[in-house]
Amino acid sequence: MGMQAVTQAQVKKITGSDILEEQDMLATEEPLEIRLSYYTQAGYTAKSISVTMRTPGNDLELAKGFLYTEGIISSREDVTETRHASDTNGNVVYVTLAQGVMPDIVRLERNFYTTSSCGVCGKASIEAVRTACNILDTKDHIEIPHSTIYTLPATLRAQQSVFEHTGGLHGCAIFDTTGNLVMTREDVGRHNALDKLIGAAIDNGLLPLNDHILLLSGRASFELVQKAAMAGIKVIAAVGAPSSLAVQLADEWGMTLVGFLRGERFNIYTGAQRIVI
């Protein structure tokens, strides 16, 4: 598509009273529009449903992950085609739904305009999203040694290729319950990184992710917990802090939420029964 995840910029680096001019690497941020094509009695119709600021790359996964975590699709069979528009420099993705899959257009128009910083707006409470979330049975027998949790951030950092150059991207990864990395994605928007990851899981037939651990490179927000719940994830570990609503949501849906994972320490906010000390 001719777009790169990293952009060069000329900068002045100041150290004490010294000035050095050199090239710096920035995480690329570009708009991505998602256009939905769906079947009506008059035939297929196309509608723009979302514009998000993202780092180019894995755009088709991002579109599918977004549609899944927002309850528009429930399986990869709901999508018949996902492609970049040919005349938009890679900034528009078309997603064609299977016949019989009908989106709630009124809800789409009200809720689905996003930015890289805030994610989907208009979801002020748990009640507002409960009806959209296909939360799976929370009964399980997952047990994860606390020593396994310690190893996750270093593994993610080693895989964050663009972050290594720019320091400007959020990363997330899924691991199996023994700490083996399954896949990772990164983006300037933390919600985009997770949508890309879930989109990749859809493509690889991995959903539901109820026997995996999700690692977030930053904080655990309400929206990220909601997206994880939609994918069936039971265990979330975040390097940063969780929000109060994220903790409330994880507790209500029987999820394990770990925060402030740094070195050999972390806090367990909900679901402590799954972490073996």
Side-chain angles (χ1 to χ4, degrees), residues 4 13 105 136 138 143 152 155 158 223 235 256 265 272 276:
Q4 302 297 323
K13 294 193 174 181
I105 296 302
L136 301 169
T138 57
E143 291 187 344
L152 305 182
T155 303
E223 183 191 22
V235 181
T256 297
R265 64 184 178 91
V276 180

Side-chain angles (χ1 to χ4, degrees), residues 19-202:
I19 302 176
L20 178 64
E21 290 198 18
E22 62 179 58
Q23 290 287 109
D24 196 13
M25 306 294 284
L26 306 177
T28 303
E29 186 174 34
E30 292 284 346
L32 179 70
E33 180 182 351
I34 300 173
R35 296 178 183 172
L36 200 60
S37 180
Y38 54 96
Y39 187 81
T40 67
Q41 290 184 341
Y44 273 96
T45 184
K47 189 172 187 64
S48 176
I49 64 163
S50 175
V51 177
T52 187
M53 301 302 294
R54 98 303 189 192
T55 301
N58 307 107
D59 291 337
L60 305 186
E61 293 174 352
L62 170 56
K64 279 180 278 191
F66 173 79
L67 294 176
Y68 185 89
T69 60
E70 296 305 328
I72 299 170
I73 63 173
S74 59
S75 70
R76 57 181 172 178
E77 287 73 29
D78 287 347
V79 176
T80 59
E81 183 185 34
T82 311
R83 62 178 176 85
H84 281 96
S86 59
D87 57 349
T88 57
N89 197 32
N91 280 329
V92 175
V93 167
Y94 279 100
V95 180
T96 302
L97 301 183
Q99 189 168 342
V101 180
M102 177 57 66
D104 184 342
I105 296 302
V106 173
R107 186 169 66 90
L108 293 179
E109 292 177 339
R110 184 173 62 247
N111 290 340
F112 289 175
Y113 280 86
T114 70
T115 72
S116 63
S117 59
C118 77
V120 177
C121 298
K123 295 176 176 176
S125 70
I126 290 175
E127 190 63 35
V129 296
R130 182 181 287 111
T131 55
C133 292
N134 302 314
I135 304 306
L136 301 169
D137 187 356
T138 57
K139 295 179 182 179
D140 61 80
H141 303 286
I142 296 174
E143 291 187 344
I144 303 167
H146 70 286
S147 56
T148 297
I149 302 294
Y150 294 153
T151 68
L152 305 182
T155 303
L156 174 57
R157 283 194 299 272
Q159 295 294 319
Q160 280 196 265
S161 58
V162 179
F163 181 87
E164 183 68 24
H165 295 295
T166 69
L169 291 188
H170 297 282
C172 59
I174 50 174
F175 298 80
D176 66 22
T177 54
T178 61
N180 295 312
L181 179 67
V182 177
M183 63 177 64
T184 180
R185 293 293 185 270
E186 55 187 349
D187 196 274
V188 71
R190 57 174 57 89
H191 62 288
N192 288 335
L194 183 51
D195 279 340
K196 288 178 179 181
L197 190 68
I198 292 173
I202 292 170

